[in-house]
Amino acid sequence: MLHLTSASTGDTAMALPPDAAFASANSLERSAPAAGRLVKSTGVVELPHKTVRRITCMGSGFVGGPTSAVIAYKSDVEVTVVDINSDRISAWKSKSLPIYEPGLDEIVQAARARVIPTQDHDSHGANTGFDHITLDRRAKLVFSTEVDQAIVDADLIFVCVNTPTKAHGIGKGSAADLDFVEAATRNIARVATQDKIVVEKSTVPCRTAQSIREILAANAHPGVRFDVLSNPEFLAEGTAIRDLLNPDRIIIGSMPTPAGYRAAATLAGVYEQWVPRERIITMNLWSSELSKLAANAMLAQRISSVNALSAICEATGADVDEVSYACGLDSRIGPQMLKAGPGFGGSTSCFQKDIFNIVYLSESLHLYEIADYWRAVINMNEHQKQRFTKRIISCLYNNLAGKRLAVLGFAFKKDTSDTRESPAITLVSNFVAERARVAIYDPRVREDQIWRELVNYGGDAEMLKRNVSVCRTAYEACLAADAVVIMTEWDEFNNKSTARTTVKREDRRPLARLNVNSSTRAYASTRGADHEVSETLSSPKLDRSASFQVPSRKSTGVVIKDPSNGEIKTFTSQRPSSGSSPLQSPVGLSASFQSPTHQVPGLRSGYVNILHDGTLISAQQFPGEYLTSTGFPAGREKAPATDMLPYTAASSIEERFQAADITPKAATPTRLDWARIASGMRKPMFVFDGRNILDHGKLEALGFRVEAIGKKGTVVSE
């Protein structure tokens, strides 16, 4: 017997036989007012359902990878992520993940290291609010190219494959290309020999689930049943891990049948291990599919609206930040997504792609006025990019030929490495078309990714190579530049006093002393992510003719050569014993005076030389007379681990995951010294603030002429 539970009071009504319960649930789904349905969780009707032990995620991109990692970390489910791209799977297994998201490295490491968060309770059974760590015998997160085996083993399968906009045929430029979705669906039907729940997680047009159901039914082995669910993701790149750990809502769409409800309850059982039940919302398949497209379309509409207002602000002297702030104070509007900029982009947010899906759907349904309305949102986004380009050209005396433009930021937003549909692609291409010389710097985007995006946009590879350079530091990009263009709101570019960043001591040197031809950029691994430790400025900084001995070819840590007696001291990573803190020893390192066995070129006498895997990555200057008997600079024996060694050595997995919600512990970004940038630029110096992150008064005091979206530019005195 099943019991019907009131959504408003929680009271248990009369017991109903199973068929009557299903019929009653279906009736509620169809007849209840929309507002009532939207607050209904899957707990309204308690249905018997199986427990998920294994999940397979098909696709290891911006959705599949983070989603799988968080599920594995927060639940008792084993998750296997599969992809036919072996290089991508290898990257997921490495210390350098194929995508960057704050907190992702920690989550992946914990799930792969069999770390399970458990709630701690006091003697009265109350939750203390702290998580403790237990270790399982098997890894809960696995990355593999064995697609067929993962399908066979799974109870539930997420389809997280790419759904790009069609580049050919009917619907070219607007319809979604569902080739990968269909291929994954046919593969599931071919391989599965037992019943499976197939969850459509990719962003797809409305009623795609019907196609999936038909393909599975037509190709299934005898006796095998598939239940199809829609479970769209609502992740924002840069905050994806936080969104997954503490989601606004979990939408689960199912068929209004007993089997559909049971399948939805099964998936809800996975999420409710960390998501409050009231945030798990059920609805029909088609509503679930359309809700994702609608959400992104409305968010994009807000951005295009404030960008349209920015043009009026520039013409009238109003400040778009002040206007958007005033509008955001209205509780009916709210402050989110009201930041003017050069346009929206990104792959996970999918704003442009999802609006095109709605446009194509509307045209297919002969709703042409609706299609025109949403197409206008896209047109405004493209207009904003071109308008910003024209403003830059106009300020630079209507001529960019031969001028050097430093483009700071290539990702479509901060805290992500995603560049797809980034406004920077359009602007850089426009600059190259005007025969400008463009120098690009982004702290998280790989160089090959930048070249690929520019070529795919339609750029001539040879012309790009002649006119575009990808720089290792912002200072290198800005040297001898005529203008700086801010395209991504990375914190390190911000010069406002509210930014919690500091200027490194070595960054105060004049920019003109920078050796832009240096190829010795210094990197360390911060829990799997590339992080700049310190830049190499000139050949005397690292004496590559010098060569000293260190204990191991794979040494990772600090090496100090005392200039007074030539003694070499190495400080290498140590793992703390159980119950001890790694910070009890100086900067989480232990001293070692083993017999040297390996030559490392470039070690500097009297410097703190930082090594990673036997390679010198940084030499920080601390004169030998200030070294203490421990080998560390005076007064720094008890410095935090990140003070001298900003990578993994001083932090154990257990420490990093004590909190219920992960707070990424990436090193604080180094803020640019704009005075140093000014010292190396050509006059007059222009800064085009495409993200409104700069204090214009401070820059103008340094001699910059500042132009920003939605604001009047610097007034030049006669």
Side-chain angles (χ1 to χ4, degrees), residues 241-281:
I241 297 302
R242 186 176 65 190
D243 296 339
L244 288 163
L245 291 172
N246 188 31
D248 295 325
R249 75 282 200 200
I250 298 293
I251 301 297
I252 301 176
S254 68
M255 294 296 293
T257 64
Y261 288 138
R262 281 195 298 268
T266 297
L267 179 56
V270 174
Y271 285 115
E272 68 182 8
Q273 295 182 56
W274 79 94
V275 179
R277 187 105 176 170
E278 62 271 14
R279 297 186 192 175
I280 302 175
I281 312 300

Side-chain angles (χ1 to χ4, degrees), residues 547-568:
S547 180
F548 301 115
Q549 302 275 357
V550 297
S552 168
R553 183 176 298 275
K554 288 295 183 180
S555 292
T556 295
V558 171
V559 177
I560 298 175
K561 183 173 187 291
D562 194 329
S564 62
N565 56 21
E567 182 178 32
I568 295 177

Side-chain angles (χ1 to χ4, degrees), residues 16-37:
L16 297 174
D19 289 345
F22 289 131
S24 179
N26 193 15
S27 176
L28 283 173
E29 189 77 38
R30 288 183 283 103
S31 62
R37 291 203 306 271

Side-chain angles (χ1 to χ4, degrees), residues 115-127:
V115 175
I116 303 175
T118 57
Q119 293 293 327
D120 187 25
H121 298 77
D122 61 21
S123 58
H124 301 288
N127 193 329

Side-chain angles (χ1 to χ4, degrees), residues 568-604:
I568 295 177
K569 299 180 181 180
T570 67
F571 298 82
T572 55
S573 313
Q574 70 170 4
R575 180 173 293 276
S577 59
S578 177
S580 66
S581 168
L583 299 183
Q584 291 174 350
S585 59
V587 296
L589 304 171
S590 59
S592 170
F593 301 98
Q594 304 174 30
S595 300
T597 60
H598 177 54
Q599 297 276 345
V600 174
L603 294 187
R604 293 286 291 162

Side-chain angles (χ1 to χ4, degrees), residues 157-233:
I157 302 170
F158 281 132
V159 177
C160 297
V161 296
N162 193 20
T163 54
T165 302
K166 285 187 70 174
H168 55 274
I170 297 175
K172 175 182 177 181
S174 57
D177 189 337
L178 300 179
D179 283 352
F180 297 123
V181 173
E182 181 173 344
T185 302
R186 291 184 179 277
N187 198 26
I188 292 170
R190 178 182 62 83
V191 173
T193 56
Q194 294 180 325
D195 294 354
K196 306 288 181 185
I197 297 175
V198 178
V199 181
E200 169 196 80
K201 205 159 185 67
S202 300
T203 302
V204 294
C206 190
R207 298 198 70 86
T208 299
Q210 182 62 30
S211 301
I212 294 175
R213 293 178 70 245
E214 292 177 1
I215 292 172
L216 290 172
N219 294 276
H221 291 284
V224 176
R225 174 186 175 83
F226 296 100
D227 291 300
V228 178
L229 301 175
S230 169
N231 177 218
E233 51 81 19

Side-chain angles (χ1 to χ4, degrees), residues 366-396:
H366 307 293
L367 303 173
Y368 300 111
E369 293 82 4
I370 309 303
D372 290 342
Y373 172 81
W374 288 110
R375 187 180 285 109
V377 175
I378 296 293
N379 292 341
M380 176 54 63
N381 191 57
E382 294 304 310
H383 171 70
Q384 186 76 346
K385 300 174 191 177
Q386 302 304 328
R387 196 174 68 81
F388 192 37
T389 300
K390 292 177 181 178
R391 185 174 180 185
I392 293 171
I393 295 173
S394 176
C395 289
L396 293 175

